[in-house]
Amino acid sequence: MKGVVCFLVCFLLSESQGFEIPTNGLSEFAEYGDLVELAPGKFQFVPENRRYQRSVSGESGEMMEDVDQVTLYSYKVRSTITSRMANTVIQAKVVNHSPQPQDVVFDVQIPRGAFISNFSMTVDGTTFTSSVKEKTVGRALYSQARAKGKMAGLVRSRALDMENFKTEVNIAPGAKVQFELHYQEVKWRKLGSYEHRLHLQPGRLAKHLEVDVWIIEPQGMRFLHVPDTFDGHFDGVPVVSKGHQKAHITFKPTVAQQRKCSNCSETAVDGELVVMYDVNREEKVGELQVFNGYFVHFFAPENMDPIPKNILFVIDVSGSMWGIKMKQTVEAMKTILDDLRAEDHFSMVDFNHNVRTWRNDLVSATKTQIADAKNYIHKIQPSGGTNINEALLRAIFILNEANNLGLLDPNAVSLIILVSDGDPTVGELKLSKIQKNVKQNIRENISLFSLGIGFDVDYDFLKRLSNENRGIAQRIYGNQDTSAQLKKFYNQVSTPLLRNVQFNYPQTPVTDVTQNSFHNYFGGSEIVVAGKVDPDKLEQLQGIITATSANAELVLETLAEMDGLEDFLSKDKHADPDFTKKLWAYLTINQLLAERSLAPTAAVKRKITKTILQMSLDHHIVTPLTALVIENDAGDERMLADSPPQDHSCCSGALYYGNRVAPNSFPPWVNPSPTPMVPMPAVGAPVLETTPPPHVMRVENDPHFVIYLPKSQKNICFNIDSEPGKILNLVSDPELGILVNGQLIGAKKPKNEKLSTYFGKLGFYFQREDMKIEISTETISLSGGSRTSVLSWSDTAHVLNQRVLVSVKKEKTVTITLDKEMSFSVLLHRVWKKHPINVDFLGIYIPPTNKFSLNVHGLIGQFMYEPKIHIFNERPGKDPEKPEANMDVKGQKLIVTRGLQKDYRTDRVFGTNVPCWFVHNSGKGFIDGHYKDYFVPQLYSFLKWP
């Protein structure tokens, strides 16, 4: 049986230039005489140069137990940041020690907005390289390879705020494979610092794990901070070294340090490595850097008094906000209201299917008004639908009226902050129409900011809405602290310092100037301007460049700094000599993409499209108009890095793959509606509201099995206490070729000396259809023959392959139906990302059916044909709330305990209690044999029952 090995490499960073990653990063300090090593692993806040004694974290020659058939030999990441332009390369090497061929998956997540520039892989001596092509050309080349029987998997798909780069290769016994990916992005200043995040997730122990971050800032660094994001597990491992203009952060845990516990085979490297820093600005309000024919102007004045603001809070109070989201939003709003200054004016609009205003006009932020506003939001009770269109138009009307009546300070900044967790369900439902309505009514002096809460919100819509109205959007998820994130978002936009900043450059040498965002400047942020410079007229930039603000009689001066920059960069082998060119291209392409989405005519859109395409090809980066073609030297084996197909004709925010299926093809118990819903116009695919039958077999939490026996009308439950990484067979029917297996993952750390385990991955195999479905907490992978499709939990999709229907409901469920007779439903459970113990996991629900063969087995499958049970002699137990009884089953006499388990189909947060009789000792006596008899070696291995 061929094995499948998947390791994840998840990052929130950038691209690199094809350099080799050194195995000993500290040896490179020879040329960095001013760098000072800081306390290793102590995650210090470093305001200035200091020296600490370095501790030794482990022996470099440590051997790793070869417990896996496939070894992750090395996992290396290198980021270089040159004047805020970040480049990252991710490299992984895998060796197959198995006597059988193995499938190896390289899966990388990068943030939306980052540009992939290169990918290569070497498979047992055969090298695949990449080139950027216009998207239609790339697809044509890919189709040619497919026609010759040379296939490759999907490479890009959506995943929340990330994009997924994934490829799978099959390697022979003893073979090696190496993957390398490059991408780039710009670091934006927020709340007074730049933040560089690497989400490290190798998925398994690596013999050599190395992460290096090099920072080169000609302005000099004001501070450097690496917070502890691993709950102290890697104390003493990271090494931070900082000089005046350069810094180096290394993270190189040994195999022993990577282990979750001393005898664990699971890696603890599963989280974010975060680097925060800021540059010196004491002497000048701006910094102009000119290099290789391009200039970059960083503008961030400080020590200025905030100007007044007029602010409208537009808060979603629909039914979906009920519970913790509303509670945290109210808490955050109380804190935000306290932060308003006396010269500020504000009001609030709250909405569900109706729209209400706290005040019909703006009021001064006096103590009395703030107290009254707090009392108002405290009494809000979420219910009903979501009328975003009317709420935004009401907020715009209030600001426009106040402006018409001369009630607003002409020097103030006017802001609307929208907080919502869902799509519109009442009133205007067409997103493009809502955008048009807002654009037509909002004035040039008003900025719209949006905060999307949860997994269901259409973040792309909020982003477009804000971008075209001089604002920004941000997304937070339901498993995060909504209150803290809302306050953080508000802090980014609550201190306006300058309004409508205009830059005046000498016209002769400067062309193609582009800017990062709207023209208002907020404290703690930064305006970045880039452009081309005529190299023969550089002396004209030596004069004064002015930046004027509309809200004050203010002229800010900045001098062009060119002397010494070229010499400084040439002496540093980590510095990117093309940083100005890349930054200009990055800003320009993003600006053109925004203009393209708002193009008034088809002709204008075609012109912008042509410019974006040419720039993408010239700078060798993957944008929405290009694709990355990956091929071997012969050109007969190809892969394509491309966006997934989209069908906008059906439903906003939905993706469809395969054949379109009528909604009534879904079993009625899949998507229950726990509470009555407010009537609303039908739009897109109808929501299924049928109450689910309570009688299903299910596995939830860590993991709790609940077996429903229809003839006895009893629920029997048991737990399985095993180890992370083990694969349990749930259903095995070799006669019909149907298989369901689940792989366990562990909690982040033990609780009360016990490490809980959950299902983190489920595999479904339908042998007759040659279809495999792998569901993890990140993606849903469908393989049929030589074809592979990858969906994310942020998709809504229906896929039909012969008799198998797979339906994905965004961030909620995956339902698999076979011939409308057998159904399997998988529920996604998200937890707070920074929870010290809990992890995301999956639950599975299977209705009992007689459609399996008589030979079906597995921890669940054996009960498809119900055993006879007899429960008697019920009596008080040791716990008064948990009575005991005797149970006869399969010739065994057991003592069982009455208890409660959870069903999360109707209440995904708290669950519904399900009474059951609990069998102790991992189901011993109730299940056939011992639970360890149900271990299988691979995710698609059938159970070999004695």
Side-chain angles (χ1 to χ4, degrees):
M1 175 68 66
K2 178 177 70 172
V4 179
V5 176
C6 178
F7 60 93
L8 301 178
V9 189
C10 299
F11 282 84
L12 302 174
L13 272 169
S14 341
E15 179 259 332
S16 184
Q17 292 301 305
F19 41 69
E20 297 230 73
I21 299 180
T23 57
N24 184 4
L26 293 178
S27 65
E28 302 184 21
F29 279 112
E31 63 178 273
Y32 282 70
D34 63 336
L35 282 184
V36 176
E37 184 177 300
L38 304 164
K42 297 299 182 182
F43 301 100
Q44 301 278 340
F45 177 87
V46 187
E48 58 186 1
N49 289 350
R50 293 184 181 177
R51 181 176 292 276
Y52 298 87
Q53 183 178 358
R54 185 182 179 198
S55 61
V56 179
S57 57
E59 303 248 347
S60 61
E62 174 192 3
M63 298 299 292
M64 182 176 72
E65 297 175 20
D66 192 8
V67 294
D68 292 322
Q69 292 181 324
V70 172
T71 299
L72 178 56
Y73 180 78
S74 68
Y75 173 84
K76 300 180 181 181
V77 183
R78 177 161 178 148
S79 291
T80 62
I81 306 172
T82 306
S83 286
R84 287 72 126 189
M85 187 69 221
N87 302 285
T88 293
V89 60
I90 308 162
Q91 185 189 81
K93 295 181 181 179
V94 180
V95 183
N96 181 14
H97 295 295
S98 167
Q100 302 294 328
Q102 299 285 329
D103 285 339
V104 177
V105 179
F106 179 68
D107 193 349
V108 179
Q109 288 184 331
I110 65 173
R112 289 187 184 180
F115 291 151
I116 295 174
S117 63
N118 194 20
F119 173 74
S120 64
M121 67 179 182
T122 302
V123 184
D124 200 20
T126 301
T127 299
F128 290 75
T129 56
S130 62
S131 59
V132 176
K133 305 287 186 184
E134 193 272 328
K135 184 167 284 190
T136 56
V137 174
R139 287 177 176 172
L141 292 171
Y142 180 62
S143 298
Q144 291 174 13
R146 282 187 58 188
K148 297 177 181 178
K150 304 292 184 180
M151 267 293 291
L154 242 177
V155 185
R156 296 186 87 200
S157 63
R158 293 187 174 188
L160 304 180
D161 283 343
M162 310 294 292
E163 288 190 348
N164 183 258
F165 185 102
K166 181 175 180 179
T167 186
E168 180 177 343
V169 297
N170 184 265
I171 58 175
K176 302 175 183 178
V177 59
Q178 174 175 312
F179 304 94
E180 190 168 289
L181 180 72
H182 302 246
Y183 59 100
Q184 64 187 37
E185 66 170 341
V186 175
K187 299 287 99 184
W188 303 121
R189 188 170 186 255
K190 295 180 180 179
L191 298 179
S193 68
Y194 305 97
E195 198 170 79
H196 197 55
R197 290 180 172 266
L198 293 84
H199 192 124
L200 306 178
Q201 194 179 11
R204 56 178 53 210
L205 299 174
K207 283 192 173 183
H208 303 282
L209 194 154
E210 302 175 7
V211 180
D212 287 278
V213 179
W214 293 91
I215 304 175
I216 301 98
E217 289 289 354
Q219 281 182 251
M221 278 176 280
R222 186 167 64 89
F223 75 85
L224 175 68
H225 179 37
V226 183
D228 180 2
T229 52
F230 291 96
D231 297 324
H233 184 93
F234 294 106
D235 188 26
V237 178
V239 177
V240 180
S241 302
K242 176 183 176 292
H244 175 60
Q245 296 170 299
K246 305 169 187 177
H248 182 204
I249 299 93
T250 63
F251 178 70
K252 301 181 181 180
T254 64
V255 174
Q257 290 165 338
Q258 293 174 46
R259 296 184 190 278
K260 235 177 189 180
C261 59
S262 58
N263 58 349
C264 291
S265 60
E266 191 174 15
T267 180
V269 184
D270 186 3
E272 290 183 324
L273 181 66
V274 180
V275 179
M276 302 172 66
Y277 74 95
D278 197 15
V279 299
N280 293 322
R281 291 188 175 81
E282 288 80 0
E283 298 178 2
K284 299 184 296 296
V285 297
E287 179 79 9
L288 188 71
Q289 297 177 0
V290 184
F291 196 66
N292 282 351
Y294 295 85
F295 79 89
V296 180
H297 185 185
F298 301 103
F299 180 79
E302 295 188 343
N303 302 318
M304 300 179 63
D305 293 329
I307 58 177
K309 58 181 175 289
N310 311 306
I311 186 166
L312 255 296
F313 298 99
V314 182
I315 305 172
D316 184 347
V317 297
S318 61
S320 58
M321 287 287 287
W322 186 88
I324 190 67
K325 282 193 285 189
M326 194 69 239
K327 180 181 178 181
Q328 291 184 340
T329 299
V330 170
E331 290 175 355
M333 282 300 305
K334 289 180 179 179
T335 303
I336 289 170
L337 290 170
D338 283 333
D339 289 339
L340 293 174
R341 295 181 299 276
E343 62 269 24
D344 295 334
H345 289 74
F346 77 106
S347 187
M348 293 185 296
V349 174
D350 62 288
F351 68 98
N352 46 26
H353 49 288
N354 295 315
V355 177
R356 299 189 308 168
T357 55
W358 168 65
R359 294 283 189 271
N360 289 325
D361 51 13
L362 293 167
V363 299
S364 297
T366 63
K367 291 183 178 180
T368 302
Q369 297 287 12
I370 289 174
D372 189 71
K374 287 182 180 179
N375 185 54
Y376 177 82
I377 62 173
H378 185 74
K379 295 179 180 179
I380 290 175
Q381 295 293 324
S383 64
T386 308
N387 193 343
I388 293 178
N389 182 70
E390 187 177 339
L392 286 174
L393 293 182
R394 182 76 61 86
I396 294 169
F397 175 80
I398 292 173
L399 280 171
N400 288 345
E401 280 293 293
N403 190 66
N404 292 339
L405 296 173
L407 301 177
L408 302 183
D409 184 341
N411 290 325
V413 169
S414 295
L415 314 172
I416 294 174
I417 297 182
L418 169 67
V419 180
S420 180
D421 76 331
D423 292 336
T425 60
V426 178
E428 180 58 63
L429 302 177
K430 193 174 181 181
L431 301 184
S432 60
K433 180 63 175 176
I434 296 175
Q435 285 178 246
K436 184 177 181 181
N437 291 342
V438 171
K439 187 68 175 175
Q440 287 178 343
N441 288 275
I442 198 168
R443 294 191 175 181
E444 289 287 332
N445 63 340
I446 301 174
S447 297
L448 172 60
F449 298 86
S450 303
L451 186 68
I453 300 177
F455 294 96
D456 296 330
V457 68
D458 190 334
Y459 178 66
D460 282 344
F461 164 64
L462 295 182
K463 194 173 180 180
R464 291 194 302 270
L465 198 62
S466 294
N467 286 350
E468 63 186 59
N469 293 292
R470 298 160 294 283
I472 58 175
Q474 186 166 314
R475 180 177 190 167
I476 60 176
Y477 301 106
N479 56 359
Q480 294 177 329
D481 186 339
T482 302
S483 177
Q485 293 294 317
L486 178 54
K487 285 183 282 189
K488 182 178 179 181
F489 177 73
Y490 171 76
N491 288 338
Q492 293 180 34
V493 301
S494 63
T495 53
L497 301 181
L498 298 172
R499 182 168 61 84
N500 193 21
V501 179
Q502 300 290 333
F503 294 92
N504 304 303
Y505 298 96
Q507 294 297 314
T508 307
V510 173
T511 59
D512 298 328
V513 177
T514 187
Q515 188 169 322
N516 67 323
S517 63
F518 46 88
H519 293 274
N520 292 336
Y521 171 68
F522 294 83
S525 65
E526 186 173 56
I527 295 179
V528 182
V529 185
K532 293 181 179 180
V533 181
D534 186 342
D536 296 327
K537 299 179 181 180
L538 289 179
E539 67 281 354
Q540 295 187 31
L541 270 180
Q542 294 288 1
I544 292 178
I545 297 171
T546 62
T548 60
S549 170
N551 64 282
E553 298 268 335
L554 182 63
V555 176
L556 304 172
E557 300 179 354
T558 178
L559 292 174
E561 292 283 347
M562 291 177 288
D563 295 338
L565 181 60
E566 183 173 356
D567 183 59
F568 170 76
L569 294 175
S570 65
K571 292 179 180 179
D572 193 305
K573 66 179 181 180
H574 299 290
D576 183 358
D578 292 324
F579 81 93
T580 51
K581 179 180 179 181
K582 289 180 181 178
L583 204 151
W584 172 79
Y586 186 96
L587 291 180
T588 303
I589 290 176
N590 275 297
Q591 178 176 294
L592 289 171
L593 286 170
E595 292 176 3
R596 180 176 181 266
S597 66
L598 303 174
T601 66
V604 172
K605 186 172 184 177
R606 283 195 299 270
K607 183 178 179 180
I608 297 173
T609 300
K610 184 178 179 181
T611 304
I612 297 172
L613 176 58
Q614 191 58 53
M615 285 192 65
S616 303
L617 297 174
D618 291 344
H619 294 270
H620 200 269
I621 50 180
V622 179
T623 63
L625 303 180
T626 56
L628 198 69
V629 177
I630 305 153
E631 57 188 349
N632 61 357
D633 292 339
D636 59 352
E637 294 188 49
R638 293 192 180 109
M639 287 179 285
L640 183 69
D642 196 3
S643 300
Q646 298 185 43
D647 182 353
H648 298 288
S649 62
C650 171
C651 321
S652 174
L655 299 179
Y656 286 84
Y657 302 83
N659 297 321
R660 191 69 57 80
V661 182
N664 59 12
S665 299
F666 296 96
W669 58 274
V670 173
N671 298 310
S673 177
T675 56
M677 300 184 67
V678 176
M680 61 188 73
V683 56
V687 178
L688 301 179
E689 300 184 16
T690 307
T691 302
H695 307 313
V696 298
M697 301 181 184
R698 62 184 72 86
V699 187
E700 279 287 5
N701 291 315
D702 57 339
H704 303 316
F705 287 73
V706 181
I707 305 298
Y708 176 69
L709 303 177
K711 294 179 183 178
S712 306
Q713 295 189 350
K714 303 287 187 185
N715 284 308
I716 311 298
C717 51
F718 59 91
N719 297 346
I720 296 293
D721 294 321
S722 189
E723 303 171 6
K726 296 295 185 183
I727 301 174
L728 294 171
N729 174 252
L730 304 180
V731 178
S732 180
D733 192 342
E735 186 174 323
L736 294 183
I738 299 174
L739 170 75
V740 183
N741 288 332
Q743 186 170 27
L744 297 173
I745 57 172
K748 294 177 182 176
K749 62 182 179 181
K751 182 179 181 181
N752 299 325
E753 299 183 355
K754 179 183 180 295
L755 184 67
S756 297
T757 56
Y758 311 84
F759 280 129
K761 185 181 295 183
L762 293 167
F764 298 81
Y765 182 29
F766 300 96
Q767 197 173 41
R768 295 181 180 178
E769 288 74 23
D770 190 22
M771 187 171 186
K772 296 177 180 177
I773 303 166
E774 180 182 311
I775 302 174
S776 71
T777 56
E778 301 296 331
T779 58
I780 303 103
S781 175
L782 300 88
S783 302
S786 59
R787 183 166 184 172
T788 299
S789 297
V790 180
L791 307 174
S792 80
W793 279 99
S794 62
D795 294 329
T796 294
H798 306 162
V799 181
L800 181 62
N801 180 23
Q802 301 179 59
R803 299 186 303 151
V804 181
L805 167 65
V806 181
S807 61
V808 182
K809 187 172 182 181
K810 183 178 179 181
E811 293 298 336
K812 293 183 179 179
T813 57
V814 175
T815 304
I816 303 169
T817 307
L818 182 67
D819 273 347
K820 302 182 185 179
E821 296 178 341
M822 295 181 189
S823 295
F824 310 87
S825 186
V826 178
L827 268 65
L828 174 65
H829 294 273
R830 295 280 191 204
V831 301
W832 179 40
K833 190 174 183 181
K834 295 185 179 180
H835 194 284
I837 297 175
N838 296 341
V839 294
D840 296 347
F841 66 95
L842 304 172
I844 182 170
Y845 294 74
I846 307 175
T849 176
N850 60 1
K851 299 300 182 181
F852 288 98
S853 76
L854 295 175
N855 294 322
V856 65
H857 213 280
L859 285 168
I860 294 177
Q862 63 187 290
F863 300 106
M864 292 298 173
Y865 294 93
E866 181 178 336
K868 184 178 180 181
I869 67 167
H870 177 45
I871 298 175
F872 59 98
N873 190 23
E874 185 173 337
R875 56 195 181 274
K878 296 178 181 178
D879 184 338
E881 296 182 1
K882 295 181 179 180
E884 292 181 352
N886 295 87
M887 182 171 76
D888 291 344
V889 59
K890 299 180 180 180
Q892 304 286 331
K893 296 185 180 297
L894 309 175
I895 295 178
V896 293
T897 304
R898 189 72 165 174
L900 295 173
Q901 294 295 347
K902 292 288 188 179
D903 184 327
Y904 291 94
R905 288 174 296 156
T906 57
D907 187 337
R908 293 174 53 80
V909 178
F910 301 106
T912 303
N913 288 330
V914 177
C916 66
W917 288 103
F918 183 78
V919 181
H920 301 272
N921 299 321
S922 297
K924 185 177 180 181
F926 180 61
I927 63 174
D928 294 338
H930 192 274
Y931 81 87
K932 291 185 178 179
D933 297 332
Y934 297 86
F935 289 166
V936 291
Q938 304 291 344
L939 196 60
Y940 299 111
S941 299
F942 280 93
L943 181 66
K944 296 181 180 179
W945 190 253

